[in-house]
Structures are given as structure tokens and as C-alpha cells.
Amino acid sequence: MSRRISHWIDGATAPSILARTGPVFDPSTGEITGTVELGGIDDVDAAVAAASAAFPAWRSAGLGRRAEILFRLRELVDANRKEIARLITVEHGKVLSDALGEVARGLENVEFACGIPQLMKGEYSEQAATGVDVYSIRQPLGVVAGITPFNFPAMVPMWMFANALACGNTFVLKPSEKNPSVSLFLAQLLAEAGLPRGCFNVVQGDRVAVDRLLHHPDVAAISFVGSTPVAKAVYATGTSNGKRVQALGGAKNHMLVLPDADLESAADAAVSAAYGSAGERCMAISVVLAVDTIADALVERLARRIPDIRMGPGNDPDSEMGPLISAEHRDRVCSYIEGAAADGATVAIDGRTDLPSEGYFVGPSLVDHVAPHMAVYRDEIFGPVLAVVRIASYDEGVALINDNEFGNGTAIFTRNGGAARQFARDVSVGMIGVNVPVPVPVSYYSFGGWKSSLFGSAHIYGPEGVTFYTQGKVVTTRWPDPESSTVDLGFPVVR
Ligand code: NAD
């Protein structure tokens, strides 16, 4: 049955009067399950007005009060893990165990933000000069907006709004129009936790809503996560309109396997990192760089594991890998497998065969003998396609990683600590795993890539999130001794 999915503004569901709409699908069947309103200028303006009106009181709420609400939210998200995961699975397609993992990684960010009284502490220097003390404080920015991708519809919003709200900002979320429902459930939990109305708003929509947020004079900052071309455009437009912007983009993450690595665990890691969530993760491994001497052995181990991956609907507890997000995306992913063969690569396992009759499934695919000029290597595919590039040496592997357009994540598999340390120093990548294939930082570090994986200087969540959502002040003070001085306003006086 098709549901209408609306906005959440000023603490309540807020249907648009003249909204354009779009379909929402169950990717495992292709069935339309909902109709999402695609917000226009009026909807964004209403959300920003509600957030602006709520800001003065929320900014003034005590740190203890804000922390208390975040602690309550923490309890509510924890109690509703299964429901949030269910909502993710029906509209995204990922398997329930993976959706539960997404909730857990999102929750970490709420837990981090519960420490806001500690995180917002400034510094104090007594007696910087005789009788002069200096202190620093950080204050919220105002209304901040989050624009989020389809692949983590609960976690990525939590990366943003937990810190943004804890710092005293009010928030407007523009989730992906492909899986909008979970954003409304999170809005309800925030309200239940005691967040005053207007502090958190959701505008459903597409580029029309995004454009309005980027131009709205009352939006102080934008956090964006999505594909590189959109991230680049959001950064350029947002900053040219005077906003603070962090825009995280796409990825092409390489896993370098040195000859001394434990090949069984490297193969296990590559398979789970390449095909988990059907490859629709910005930290998925999409390229294995295999040093020639072990390449055959590694490819044989990968190929042996792939047929055991159970593909099926995300809500079937036996499924390990679900469908892709849309029919269009499935066709695009398949075109890369076709193109790789045409370019001379070896399609060792072709995920386009024996597919279910309904839904947007593509099976795990393995493409060997890939060369850097091929589209299967160059482009972010965002599907279950793992490319193997055979290399002569560590140096060749590092050169490929550093020449790549993207710099989100990378991993090295080796038993040699010195080589791993050197790798972490050498690569132009923001997040590095040593025998860890998906090195997403825990919430008390920050997340961010280099090069075309991040536009702007601030990484997201963790300590850098607190910095991003606040601005600093430094106060220099002198208190004249009431016994010995009169008030000096700094003007020359004639006595
Ligand atoms: P997307 O860029 O298509 O969409 C992201 C958001 O931007 C959505 O809210 C969408 O409605 C909006 N949008 C889309 N086109 C727009 C346009 N032309 N103008 C303005 N707004 C627009 O990305 P997606 O397909 O939802 O997500 C997948 C992408 O996100 C992949 O490239 C993936 O690597 C990336 N991603 C990156 C990270 C990271 O942390 N670096 C995390 C998750 C996903």
C-alpha cells in the first residue's frame, strides 16, 4: 500500500500544499511503497523559519539540559533499533543485520554528543598581562542544514544532527528522496526525547530543496554527504553564499595486499568489504591491489568465497546481500561489468546471471586483470563489483592510490609493521586500515577523506564536528581594582 511521506516542520508532520512528488520503491521487489513529497521553496522557507524561531531559546538552554535530551534520545534510539533497521531495509534494501549495524554506528554519534558539556569547554589564561585574563568560548552558528545520501539514511543524519543540536544549533535535514521514511521516525524520537519544537525539521525533496537551502540567507552552515559532482557543486554554491560548508563526496577505496599477508583473512576481508551492503558504501573496497607473486592465490580465494554469499531480500534473515537501490542504478552497475570485458579485463565472476525475476539485484562480481585506464577502475561504481589490479611492488600500489581522484579510505594487508606504518604515512587518503578493510573511525575521532572525497577543511562528526558547528570567541578582560582605580575607557583625559 502506497503511503504519503511528508515533511516535519516545527514539531509536526507538515504536508505540502502544491508539492511535486516522487515514488519510493521496495528495491527487493520493485514495488512502489510510498509517495514522497518533493519540497519546494515554501517548504524550505517554513522549515528554516521554524528553526530560526527556535534558535534563541535552544542556544540559551543549559548544557546540562541539552545533554539530558541527548541521553534520552540515546535511550530511544537504542530501544527502537529494530524498528529503525526495518525502516531502512524496506526502502534501502540492505539486509537487516547490516541495517542494525548502521543504527549502532549512528548511535555512537549520539553517545559522543552526550558529552557536550565537556566538549564545549573553552580555555582560560590567567594574568596574560598584569591584571589581564584571556578566555575562549565556542558558540553555535544558528540554523544549520544537513543534506544526506540514500546509502545510510539513519547513520549519516546522526553524524550531523547529534553534534549540531548538542552545540546549540537548530537543524534542517534534507534526506535522500529514495528512502525518506526513517528521517521522520528520527524526528519523532527527537520530539519524544524532549527537543523543543522547531529545533529539528525535515524537508523531503531533491535538488530544488537543496538549492533553496544553499541560497537561504538564514542558513549558516551546510553539511553534505553524497556523490562527488554534487558535493563539489554544493561546496561552491554554499561558500559563495557565505556559508560554512563541509561536503563529503564519493570514493574508490583500494586494498593493498602484500605478499606476506595472511591470504585467507585478506580474502575474507575483501569479500565482506566489497559486497557488504551490495557495495553501496562510501568505504566499500572496490579495488584489490595484489602483488604479482600472490595475485593468483588471492584471486582463487576470492572466487572460492563468492558463490557462498546468499543474495536475497533484505528482510529475509538468511540474506547476506540485498538488492541495489533502483533499476537505473542496477543497469548502470551492469554496464561496468559489460564494459570491463570489452576493455580486455577478465570477468572472473559475472553477477548478471541467474538473477531473481523481481527487484534490483546484481550478484557479487569479480573482475581480474583490470588496468588503470579502464572505466571499471576509474569510476565509482557503487555496486558489488570488485576489481583486481595486479602490481609489481608496494611502490606501484601506493602510486596508484595516490594518483586516484578519490582519497576516502584505503587498507593494507600485511604482517610487516614497518610496511604498514610507511603506508599510513605515504598515502594521500583520509582513513587508513591496517588489516582492517573498512576503517570507519569511531565517533570520538572524525571522518573525512582527501581529494575529491571531501570539499572543505572540516571532517565530519567527532571533535571536528563540534568545531564545525561552533564558532570561537576570545575575550580579553581587565577588572580594575575598585580600591585604587577609576573606570578607564581608554580615552585621553585632561586631569
Ligand atoms: P547523491 O549525490 O545523488 O545525493 C545526495 C544528496 O544530494 C541527496 O539528498 C540528493 O537528493 C541530493 N542531490 C542529488 N542530486 C542533486 C543535485 N544535482 N543538486 C543538489 N542536490 C542533489 O548521492 P547518493 O546517490 O544519494 O549517495 C551515494 C553517493 O554518496 C556515493 O557517491 C557515495 O560514495 C557517497 N557517499 C559518501 C560518503 C562519505 O562519507 N564520503 C558517505 C555516504 C555516501
Side-chain angles (χ1 to χ4, degrees):
M1 230 218 319
S2 180
R3 291 169 304 115
R4 183 102 175 169
I5 302 154
S6 304
H7 318 295
W8 177 275
I9 297 173
D10 207 15
T13 307
S16 292
I17 302 165
L18 294 173
R20 295 176 297 127
T21 59
V24 177
F25 296 94
D26 174 346
S28 67
T29 60
E31 216 181 292
I32 293 181
T33 56
T35 301
V36 62
E37 294 181 352
L38 303 174
I41 290 175
D42 289 350
D43 302 301
V44 173
D45 287 359
V48 175
S52 299
F55 177 62
W58 183 241
R59 170 189 196 272
S60 301
L63 287 165
R65 168 95 183 111
R66 286 189 240 149
E68 186 188 349
I69 291 171
L70 284 154
F71 269 107
R72 268 197 234 126
L73 178 68
R74 192 255 162 230
E75 292 302 294
L76 287 166
V77 172
D78 180 44
N80 287 280
R81 282 173 197 257
K82 284 193 179 149
E83 178 57 10
I84 300 171
R86 188 190 69 76
L87 287 168
I88 295 170
T89 293
V90 292
E91 291 182 355
H92 176 285
K94 65 177 72 173
V95 297
L96 273 173
S97 53
D98 193 27
L100 281 166
E102 170 176 351
V103 179
R105 295 306 310 257
L107 187 56
E108 273 185 24
N109 297 278
V110 179
E111 289 167 349
F112 176 79
C114 288
I116 198 65
Q118 172 72 16
L119 298 166
M120 291 277 280
K121 274 182 178 171
E123 295 170 315
Y124 197 101
S125 302
E126 187 198 22
Q127 199 76 343
T130 308
V132 174
D133 297 343
V134 179
Y135 66 92
S136 66
I137 53 177
R138 298 204 69 85
Q139 296 190 328
L141 306 177
V143 179
V144 301
I147 301 159
T148 52
F150 79 84
N151 66 324
F152 285 106
M155 180 186 78
V156 172
M158 284 193 257
W159 281 2
M160 300 173 182
F161 72 67
N163 275 340
L165 293 170
C167 291
N169 302 282
T170 53
F171 198 87
V172 177
L173 173 65
K174 206 302 286 168
S176 170
E177 65 276 36
K178 298 189 175 107
N179 40 20
S181 294
V182 74
S183 65
L184 297 175
F185 190 72
L186 292 173
Q188 280 164 9
L189 295 186
L190 279 157
E192 215 179 306
L195 187 72
R197 56 178 247 250
C199 290
F200 181 80
N201 307 275
V202 180
V203 179
Q204 309 292 355
D206 55 11
R207 63 178 302 170
V208 174
V210 173
D211 279 347
R212 180 58 187 154
L213 286 167
L214 293 175
H215 287 94
H216 200 300
D218 296 339
V219 173
I222 303 270
S223 296
F224 173 91
V225 176
S227 59
T228 286
V230 184
K232 206 171 179 173
V234 162
Y235 185 75
T237 310
T239 51
S240 72
N241 287 324
K243 301 183 193 315
R244 188 178 283 200
V245 182
Q246 54 179 182
L248 284 76
K252 193 83 187 177
N253 306 314
H254 295 55
M255 172 171 155
L256 173 58
V257 185
L258 296 188
D260 70 339
D262 174 345
L263 293 187
E264 295 297 338
S265 57
D268 284 340
V271 164
S272 69
Y275 306 121
S277 203
E280 290 175 323
R281 287 181 183 148
C282 67
M283 289 291 278
I285 290 292
S286 47
V287 177
V288 164
L289 300 172
V291 176
D292 280 330
T293 49
I294 48 97
D296 282 341
L298 182 61
V299 169
E300 183 271 318
R301 283 166 174 76
L302 293 170
R304 202 183 334 126
R305 285 160 169 79
I306 290 171
D308 293 338
I309 296 172
R310 292 190 301 273
M311 185 169 69
N315 57 11
D316 178 341
D318 284 339
S319 301
E320 292 174 325
M321 188 182 110
L324 293 170
I325 187 70
S326 66
E328 192 192 20
H329 188 49
R330 173 197 60 201
D331 296 346
R332 183 175 170 277
V333 170
C334 288
S335 76
Y336 279 101
I337 304 171
E338 176 115 25
D343 283 344
T346 308
V347 179
I349 296 183
D350 190 337
R352 294 170 299 169
T353 53
D354 299 328
L355 294 176
S357 59
E358 54 178 26
Y360 310 138
F361 291 92
V362 177
S365 304
L366 183 64
V367 186
D368 194 4
H369 299 288
V370 168
H373 68 273
M374 298 176 185
V376 71
Y377 175 80
R378 279 196 327 268
D379 297 352
E380 179 183 41
I381 300 174
F382 222 53
V385 180
L386 180 60
V388 179
V389 178
R390 294 164 177 246
I391 53 172
S393 64
Y394 167 89
D395 288 340
E396 188 183 345
V398 170
L400 279 170
I401 292 167
N402 288 348
D403 283 349
N404 199 266
E405 179 196 351
F406 302 103
N408 216 37
T410 188
I412 186 168
F413 276 68
T414 179
R415 288 189 171 97
N416 184 323
R421 181 176 183 277
Q422 189 65 36
F423 181 77
R425 282 182 53 75
D426 287 347
V427 289
S428 309
V429 175
M431 293 168 285
I432 295 144
V434 174
N435 299 314
V436 172
V438 183
V440 175
V442 286
S443 67
Y444 38 96
Y445 285 77
S446 299
F447 179 113
W450 285 22
K451 301 186 274 184
S452 292
S453 296
L454 172 68
F455 301 90
S457 58
H459 288 198
I460 205 163
Y461 72 71
E464 292 201 32
V466 174
T467 306
F468 181 77
Y469 290 123
T470 53
Q471 52 196 338
K473 277 182 180 167
V474 179
V475 184
T476 304
T477 63
R478 182 205 298 276
W479 293 100
D481 178 352
E483 298 296 312
S484 64
S485 66
T486 54
V487 173
D488 177 3
L489 296 177
F491 294 107
V493 289
V494 179
R495 293 190 196 274

